Amino acid sequence: MTKTFNIAVFDGDGIGPEIMQPTVELLRSMAAKSGSYDFAFDNVPAGAAHYAKHGESLPSPSLAAARASDAILLSAMGLPSVRYPDGTEISPQIEIRKELKLYAGVRPVRIVPGQPTPLALSGGQPVDFVLIRESTEGLFHSQGTHDVRDDKEAYETLKITRDTSEKLFKFAFNLAQSRKDAGRGSGRVTCVDKANVFAAFAFFRKMFDEEAATHPEIAADYAYVDATALWMVEKPWIFDVMVTENMFGDILSDLGAGLMGGLGLAPSADIGDDHAVFQPCHGSAPDIAGQSIANPFAMILSAAMMLDWLGATHSNPEMAADGVRLREAVEAAIADRDGVTRDLGGTASTTEAAAAIAARLT
Ligand code: ATP
């Protein structure tokens, strides 16, 4: 029997609509060929352009539609030219993460043979790890509190809670177990922190240890965030699952995107107990918007993660397998330099890049 999944779609700003449209088309055609799932897409407004026009960055009906959906696809939001009165950029995606309690920011980093990477990998070891960024608290907790005093001092507060950390670490160990079961990881979780300096991170690590004790079959270790940045460049193949605080994860996930060959290839998912958002790691790239040269692969890989997640949470193996098929089609296209856009040294337009993936799925 076919089950229809309701997907809230945020086209967003800049290149957002250009990369979302072909991604939705790919999902429609995969669903049309499947026997077990279909999609009802619901386009909902939010973002900087919407704020400029209507004075609202995340209208409540849009948030309600996201809350009611089975999954959320989000391209990119924000424009440097549109800001809140305090000078910060419009970022409803951060509000959505907080509102829907999407505590686990999942950032896979994969480098497969043929993929362009700035690393000269010794022995060409494949790289396949997942960085999990806590996405609702940490140093982003005080965002919007504007605590700047007399133009002399500014304060931001880092928040780590037991409630969120326990869920985060459970998620990380379960992911390591499922990667190990699928033959994709060694079965190891690394807690990335700065526990040598901050009590908040010693607390973070203590809760990591508590969760680790309940997973004797998964190895657990720690790394300081500064050393982690070094090792991600020197020997990224040593990592399996890494779990870290919001701000550290924000920074390290861009480093991971750089290792993969650029932001145009880096997908992500923000997952909570009941909801999940799938979006590329990159921003709205206003410098190239409207030219049909944006790379849609990060958006398409994020859609593959959505298939994977929906398949796992709804016990639909066909959907999960289609997620793998979609990811592998993108990886094969990159390796063959088929449908490669300008950011990766090719000449394909956004539409041609998506068509290359569609051709591999027939
Ligand atoms: P944000 O802070 O919103 O994440 P950002 O400041 O990191 O945004 P991006 O919008 O991600 O900036 O763009 C950074 C650079 O990467 C720009 O030069 C942009 O053109 C390029 N870029 C980002 N995404 C893509 C893409 N999908 N295809 C091609 N180039 C991209």
Side-chain angles (χ1 to χ4, degrees):
M1 209 183 70
T2 301
K3 173 171 167 54
T4 299
F5 292 90
N6 295 311
I7 310 297
V9 177
F10 289 87
D11 267 354
D13 297 306
I15 61 169
E18 295 168 52
I19 57 172
M20 182 64 86
Q21 192 262 336
T23 303
V24 166
E25 283 314 310
L26 280 170
L27 288 171
R28 273 192 214 285
S29 72
M30 293 187 94
K33 284 181 212 138
S34 91
S36 61
Y37 68 92
D38 201 355
F39 293 116
F41 294 102
D42 182 13
N43 272 73
V44 286
H50 190 83
Y51 176 80
K53 248 194 189 158
H54 305 282
E56 258 188 321
S57 57
L58 179 61
S60 40
S62 298
L63 180 60
R67 206 184 284 283
S69 68
D70 293 301
I72 299 151
L73 274 179
L74 195 155
S75 53
M77 292 194 207
L79 292 170
S81 55
V82 182
R83 291 177 186 258
Y84 293 118
D86 70 354
T88 58
E89 271 196 42
I90 311 299
S91 47
Q93 60 277 32
I94 299 179
E95 212 175 318
I96 293 173
R97 277 178 213 147
K98 283 186 184 162
E99 282 288 335
L100 303 186
K101 299 191 170 40
L102 309 180
Y103 51 83
V106 181
R107 311 287 151 95
V109 176
R110 280 171 59 81
I111 307 173
V112 297
Q115 188 165 331
T117 166
L119 298 175
L121 296 181
S122 72
Q125 286 102 321
V127 172
D128 184 350
F129 66 85
V130 182
L131 176 69
I132 301 173
R133 163 191 176 185
E134 195 292 311
S135 298
T136 58
E137 45 187 44
L139 196 50
F140 281 67
H141 162 70
S142 59
Q143 191 200 17
T145 54
H146 321 297
D147 193 359
V148 181
R149 300 177 192 174
D150 303 327
D151 210 24
K152 288 193 179 123
E153 298 166 22
Y155 295 86
E156 302 280 355
T157 308
L158 180 141
K159 177 179 177 184
I160 302 286
T161 66
R162 173 167 284 282
D163 187 39
T164 300
S165 304
E166 282 181 350
K167 288 182 185 178
L168 179 78
F169 295 136
K170 194 177 287 302
F171 184 94
F173 279 92
N174 288 342
L175 178 66
Q177 185 67 59
S178 61
R179 280 170 55 86
K180 188 178 178 188
D181 294 344
R184 280 190 62 192
S186 60
R188 175 165 157 246
V189 184
T190 305
C191 180
V192 178
D193 58 41
K194 197 71 184 166
N196 51 337
V197 178
F198 299 103
F201 285 109
F203 175 52
F204 191 66
R205 196 180 270 205
K206 176 172 168 264
M207 293 178 287
F208 173 82
D209 285 340
E210 288 167 10
E211 184 62 32
T214 68
H215 299 266
E217 65 292 354
I218 298 293
D221 60 10
Y222 325 99
Y224 297 131
V225 64
D226 40 351
T228 302
L230 178 76
W231 294 335
M232 279 174 68
V233 174
E234 281 188 351
K235 44 180 181 177
W237 49 85
I238 65 167
F239 295 112
D240 181 5
V241 173
M242 299 149 90
V243 60
T244 192
E245 177 270 341
N246 206 342
M247 181 70 144
F248 291 165
D250 186 33
I251 298 165
L252 292 181
S253 58
D254 267 28
L255 175 53
L259 298 179
M260 289 172 74
L263 279 170
L265 291 180
S268 83
D270 289 306
I271 298 177
D273 289 341
D274 306 311
H275 304 280
V277 171
F278 300 85
Q279 81 168 114
C281 285
H282 60 72
S284 63
D287 53 332
I288 59 164
Q291 301 173 40
S292 193
I293 56 171
N295 184 347
F297 287 174
M299 183 75 243
I300 296 171
L301 289 169
S302 305
M305 291 177 77
M306 183 184 84
L307 288 172
D308 204 27
W309 180 77
L310 283 172
T313 50
H314 292 268
S315 306
N316 184 326
E318 186 186 30
M319 234 177 162
D322 277 355
V324 174
R325 224 155 57 83
L326 186 54
R327 171 172 56 78
E328 288 180 348
V330 174
E331 289 173 352
I334 295 165
D336 295 345
R337 303 207 47 79
D338 174 22
V340 167
T341 44
R342 253 184 18 180
D343 54 311
L344 299 181
T347 56
S349 67
T350 307
T351 323
E352 288 163 349
I357 306 308
R360 285 167 187 269
L361 293 171
T362 51

